[in-house]
Amino acid sequence: MPASGPSPIILYDGVCGLCNRFVQFVLKHDFKQRFQFASLQSDFAAPVLRRYGATPDDLDTMYVVLDYAQTTERLASRSEAAIVILQELGSGWSVLSTMLEWLPSGLQNWGYNVVARNRYRIFGKYDSCPLPDQKVRGRFLDLS
């Protein structure tokens, strides 16, 4: 499910150490600067998630909003969101996304859920969402 319209928006747990590291990874490898970001705890994320019957209180799930505010808008979650992100990054990352797509979705989500359940214990948790560097701050919709 590659993005075709406006920049894909990654909705992530802003206080999660792993999630923040993943955002930094995407910023480093997003050579086309396509992705935008917003924390699940933000005022931006809540109405988007409610449109899809999801709750912003579910911090165990990462989402990617594709074609935001278009008639073709859609929401990818969990392992599907990770695969979309890897596809968009291109290069060797799209090869990894293809390999992950070969796995049954139940197995993909099982792996995602294991990581999600243990991420605070392994990667830590911030007291509040860390602010991104000034040079990329414009890509964070909850800071605009």
Side-chain angles (χ1 to χ4, degrees):
M1 185 190 313
S4 58
S7 296
I9 303 166
I10 297 174
L11 303 178
Y12 66 100
D13 179 358
V15 297
C16 168
L18 173 62
C19 303
N20 277 281
R21 286 182 184 110
F22 185 69
V23 167
Q24 293 305 312
F25 168 84
V26 172
L27 285 167
K28 181 179 178 180
H29 294 91
D30 183 16
F31 300 117
K32 297 178 186 175
Q33 297 185 359
R34 293 229 341 117
F35 285 102
Q36 293 182 298
F37 308 87
S39 72
L40 289 168
Q41 295 89 340
S42 70
D43 291 337
F44 177 86
V48 173
L49 294 173
R50 285 189 192 107
R51 279 200 297 271
Y52 293 93
T55 175
D57 298 328
D58 180 10
L59 299 179
D60 284 351
T61 304
M62 174 181 60
Y63 299 94
V64 176
V65 183
L66 299 158
D67 297 340
Y68 175 69
Q70 306 294 309
T71 58
T72 55
E73 180 184 280
R74 58 201 185 281
L75 188 68
S77 64
R78 298 190 171 279
S79 60
E80 179 187 11
I83 289 169
V84 167
I85 293 167
L86 292 171
Q87 287 172 344
E88 283 294 314
L89 291 177
S91 187
W93 303 113
S94 60
V95 172
L96 178 58
S97 74
T98 301
M99 290 170 37
L100 289 172
E101 283 182 305
W102 288 340
L103 296 173
S105 62
L107 186 58
Q108 291 172 12
N109 283 322
W110 175 83
Y112 182 95
N113 291 338
V114 167
V115 172
R117 267 194 313 273
N118 295 293
R119 71 191 193 286
Y120 290 152
R121 185 173 52 79
I122 297 169
F123 297 97
K125 183 177 180 181
Y126 297 100
D127 292 330
S128 62
C129 299
L131 289 175
D133 293 340
Q134 188 66 36
K135 63 184 176 189
V136 295
R137 204 166 282 179
R139 295 174 65 187
F140 288 78
L141 302 173
D142 47 351
L143 302 177
S144 306

